[in-house]
Structure formats: structure tokens, C-alpha cells
Amino acid sequence: MKRVFICGDLTFPRGGSSSNYIQYLGMALIECGYEVHVVSTKNKDYTDKEINGIIIDAYEYSKNKIIKYVEYWVGAERKVKSILRQYRMDKDDLIIMYSQKAILGHSLRKFAKKRKVKIGAAVVELFEKKDITSQKYSWNYFQYKILIDKEYENFDFLFPISTYIESKYRNSGVKQLVLPILADPYEYPFVEKEYSKKRFIFPAMGKMKDALDNMVLAVNETLIEKKDDVEIHFCGVKKEQIARILNIDISEIDSRMIFHSWMDYSDLVDLYNQVQFLLIARADSQMTRANFPSKVPEVMTYGVVPLASRVGDYTNLYLKDNYNSFIFEGCDVAKIKEVLCRCIDLSEQKMKLLSDNARKTVEDEFYYKQWVHRIKCFLREL
């Protein structure tokens, strides 16, 4: 059987958005007829050697912080290649890299070339220097810059997550298939929502990209104005951050703001099944135009309606205002507050229609099985 080895910097499975991206890509590749391996560090909450048919080939870093740091930057490639050598790879196999390190990219490319194996990369970010560091010289940024400007152009294929990233490599000669974050709408139970209380979720795991302060200020102003039965669920944001942004004491935070620490994924799904809206406001920049937030299809799977500022492929290609989402221009406080109030005033009938359309969008556009034919045809032509 043909094999694909997805290698990179992630904790698999369910170690965050990167892990979810790789899981659904892997499941699509299985449907394409490949045996799929993920070569990465492993989420210690999972003891099984497989998940949904994906074989987990895990490596570990030292528990010593200094040694771990060195290993991460100049030792991971040896750990990855050590695992790959066990499989005696040949021309029928594929390597897909998921990393921001030029050392790993260069090492895997040379490894693949020696064995006549095709190598590709999942490219999910396009950072500027200011997004990574404020220092004049940065090893992290140097690695990343070499990877995106030099190494990727020598790969056999790329899976850019957006058309914006695809345009960067359009004239490089490397073959590309734009591949958004995929989903599985049937992986967990979908529960019909109740609408007596308006519930919003605020997953700020991507807070480097999110207009965090403006969203918090808009939420607070909305709660002051609206005395309706409303809940705002914060995931990945601490009370201390909210108090700092609002310049108040923690004890003064509105009781309708509910805070969640790290949750098991099944518990997170339970929360998705309760809330009706996702708030995601981002300023327009190279980083946000290139990115495709995984939370968008992830929450839409459970009928959650995104409230999103217009930037990137998800708002230009998949979200339709007043059909499966609410789209607003810019990310200033007034605009965010306006869309929040609009949602609070919606009828139950309209909310249900939006929710149904959000889930249908996932089934039609993001379900990994919908992409199998396109991926299979693309890889066949390499």
C-alpha cells in the first residue's frame, strides 16, 4: 500500500488547531488509498497507537528545558529521520512536512531526494517579521524566512491553506492545491440547540491574530446596554486579561462572562453544542489574509454561527452574510458591538435557520470526504 508520512511540529492528536488540521488531512488521505503515519510528539492523554486509522509514530524531547530547546531547533530532524528509516521508504511513498523550521525542511528534502520520494508541505501561515519578533536578529525568524522563501520552492508540492499563500508560490514551478482546514461533521453527536438564552463563544487561542482588546471592549459595552439573557464563554483567555483590558478589578467582571480553562475535546464539543455564535474579529494584515482559522469550520460543525470581520478566504469564499454567518468590515469596537446586538435581537426562527445553514456549509464544503477526489487527482499528477 502507498504510504504518506506527515512529519512536523505538533502534538498529536488533539493537541490544538495544528493537530486537528493534520487529523482531517490524514483521514482524507486514507480515503485516497494511502496508509497514513503522523511523525510528531504525542498527546500524553492518548495511549492508542492509532486514531481514526492514522498511525502515530511518536518521538520525544528531553524533559530538561535547555536540552529540549536545543533538540527542538537542531535535533528534531534527526528524530524524524530515524523513524522514517525504519520504513524503508521508496518512490511510492510521500512525505508531507508541517513545520516552520528550515533545518527540518532542508533535511527532509535531502532525505526524500536520495530515496526518490516526493515531498510536500502544508503551508498554513505567512508571517511578517513583526509577527514573530521585535528584535533586529532572530533565529526563529531566520529559520522561518529561509523556509518560506527558499526551501518551499524546491519541494515537489504544497498544500497552501489559502489562496493568498498560493499566490506567493504561483510562479515558482511547485505544484499546489489550496486546502482549507477540513472537518468531520459526523465525528461527534450534533445536538439541536435551545435558544432561550443567547450564548457566544470567544475562543482566543489565536489571540496573536485576533483583535482581542476591541472584542473584549465591545462585549463589555454590549452587556452594559443589553440586559437580556446572554452568556459570553471565553476559552483561552484568563479573567486577569479581561480585567486589564477593561481597567477594572476581577470582581467587577460581568457575571455573564464565563471563563473556561483547558478542556478535554469531548467537553469542548459539549460547549459547542450549547452556544449559538462564534466571535472572531481580526485586523487586515498579511498574517490574517494568509491564515484560515480552524475554529470557523470546527464550530460550524455544531451549528455555531460565526460573527467575523472580513479578511481571508473563510469570509470571501465560504461565509455568506445573513446566510451562515454575519460579516462585518473592520474590527473597531462599534462594528463588533453592532453585530453582537444584532444577534441578541434575533428571533429563534432566524437563529435556527442560520445554525442549520452553518452546519450544512461544513457538510458541503469542509467535510474531508468532499475533498478526497481533488486530493487524489492532485497527487496522481505529481
Side-chain angles (χ1 to χ4, degrees):
M1 176 181 276
K2 299 179 294 182
R3 299 173 297 185
V4 177
F5 296 85
I6 304 173
C7 310
D9 303 321
L10 61 145
T11 300
F12 189 84
R14 297 299 182 201
S17 58
S18 298
S19 179
N20 293 345
Y21 175 94
I22 293 303
Q23 177 177 322
Y24 298 124
L25 171 59
M27 291 165 69
L29 290 167
I30 288 173
E31 293 290 326
C32 290
Y34 289 91
E35 178 181 286
V36 177
H37 298 247
V38 171
V39 183
S40 71
T41 57
K42 188 176 181 181
N43 185 342
K44 291 181 172 56
D45 292 336
Y46 287 79
T47 56
D48 293 343
K49 295 182 178 180
E50 294 187 14
I51 179 171
N52 296 324
I54 300 170
I55 300 166
I56 306 169
D57 289 310
Y59 60 86
E60 295 182 349
Y61 291 119
S62 170
K63 294 180 180 180
N64 180 285
K65 289 184 178 180
I66 296 175
I67 297 175
K68 180 179 180 179
Y69 179 84
V70 173
E71 284 184 330
Y72 177 81
W73 283 108
V74 294
E77 71 279 2
R78 290 194 292 272
K79 294 176 182 290
V80 171
K81 288 191 296 184
S82 176
I83 291 171
L84 295 179
R85 287 191 185 98
Q86 298 174 21
Y87 288 99
R88 301 184 181 277
M89 299 178 68
D90 60 34
K91 61 181 179 61
D92 291 326
D93 297 319
L94 295 173
I95 294 174
I96 299 174
M97 189 186 80
Y98 187 101
S99 175
Q100 294 177 14
K101 296 185 295 194
I103 287 178
L104 181 60
H106 180 79
S107 184
L108 284 178
R109 183 169 59 82
K110 294 297 185 183
F111 178 91
K113 184 178 181 180
K114 184 176 180 180
R115 292 159 177 79
K116 296 182 171 56
V117 171
K118 298 289 186 183
I119 183 170
V123 190
V124 300
E125 304 282 6
L126 200 57
F127 293 126
E128 297 177 81
K129 185 178 181 181
K130 64 182 178 62
D131 302 322
I132 294 177
T133 182
S134 59
Q135 300 174 352
K136 185 175 181 180
Y137 301 106
S138 165
W139 173 248
N140 294 19
Y141 180 70
F142 174 75
Q143 282 270 322
Y144 178 70
K145 190 67 172 171
I146 293 295
L147 180 68
I148 65 170
D149 287 348
K150 303 294 183 183
E151 281 299 325
Y152 280 157
E153 293 187 357
N154 293 307
F155 277 39
D156 297 297
F157 64 96
L158 299 176
F159 287 137
I161 201 170
S162 64
T163 55
Y164 188 86
I165 295 176
E166 186 268 342
S167 67
K168 175 177 173 63
Y169 300 102
R170 194 169 293 158
N171 299 319
S172 67
V174 63
K175 294 182 178 179
Q176 299 187 83
L177 174 65
V178 178
L179 193 66
I181 178 77
L182 304 180
D184 182 0
Y186 312 110
E187 185 176 12
Y188 288 88
F190 170 59
V191 179
E192 290 290 337
K193 299 185 183 300
E194 62 91 14
Y195 299 98
S196 60
K197 181 179 290 188
K198 307 293 173 65
R199 296 183 175 93
F200 298 79
I201 190 167
F202 188 111
M205 297 302 186
K207 51 185 172 287
M208 182 174 75
K209 305 179 184 77
D210 296 341
L212 180 61
D213 287 21
N214 284 7
M215 285 192 285
V216 171
L217 291 168
V219 164
N220 192 59
E221 288 187 14
T222 302
L223 292 178
I224 292 172
E225 182 176 313
K226 293 283 188 180
K227 301 304 180 184
D228 304 65
D229 219 357
V230 177
E231 290 179 357
I232 311 291
H233 291 262
F234 288 91
C235 298
V237 183
K238 295 181 179 179
K239 285 185 178 182
E240 290 80 2
Q241 290 175 276
I242 303 302
R244 177 188 57 78
I245 293 169
L246 298 177
N247 195 27
I248 60 175
D249 188 77
I250 290 177
S251 63
E252 298 176 87
I253 293 174
D254 193 301
S255 61
R256 291 172 291 176
M257 295 186 188
I258 300 168
F259 296 84
H260 301 272
S261 56
W262 178 263
M263 304 171 73
D264 288 336
Y265 197 74
S266 58
D267 294 331
L268 187 59
V269 168
D270 288 342
L271 181 58
Y272 290 158
N273 274 316
Q274 295 174 44
V275 302
Q276 298 105 3
F277 302 103
L278 161 77
L279 178 60
I280 178 169
R282 296 180 167 187
D284 184 33
S285 68
Q286 174 177 299
M287 176 173 59
T288 56
R289 288 193 294 271
N291 185 249
F292 197 118
S294 63
K295 285 297 179 203
V296 171
E298 183 179 351
V299 301
M300 290 173 75
T301 294
Y302 304 98
V304 179
V305 177
L307 318 177
S309 53
R310 189 181 299 283
V311 59
D313 281 1
Y314 57 106
T315 55
N316 295 327
L317 300 179
Y318 298 102
L319 300 186
K320 299 176 184 177
D321 185 53
N322 206 33
Y323 170 75
N324 58 10
S325 61
F326 287 116
I327 308 298
F328 51 96
E329 305 296 332
C331 59
D332 60 81
V333 174
K335 290 284 180 64
I336 300 170
K337 179 185 173 184
E338 180 183 349
V339 76
L340 288 170
C341 291
R342 183 181 178 187
C343 291
I344 291 172
D345 293 337
L346 286 175
S347 67
E348 181 175 329
Q349 182 182 12
K350 179 62 175 179
M351 289 174 65
K352 187 177 187 316
L353 180 61
L354 287 162
S355 178
D356 290 345
N357 290 339
R359 180 167 170 82
K360 187 176 187 304
T361 299
V362 175
E363 293 173 331
D364 294 345
E365 303 287 352
F366 296 113
Y367 184 26
Y368 72 91
K369 288 189 177 181
Q370 299 282 15
W371 285 82
V372 169
H373 179 70
R374 278 170 280 189
I375 295 171
K376 184 184 290 187
C377 291
F378 173 76
L379 294 177
R380 188 185 298 143
E381 294 174 1
L382 292 177

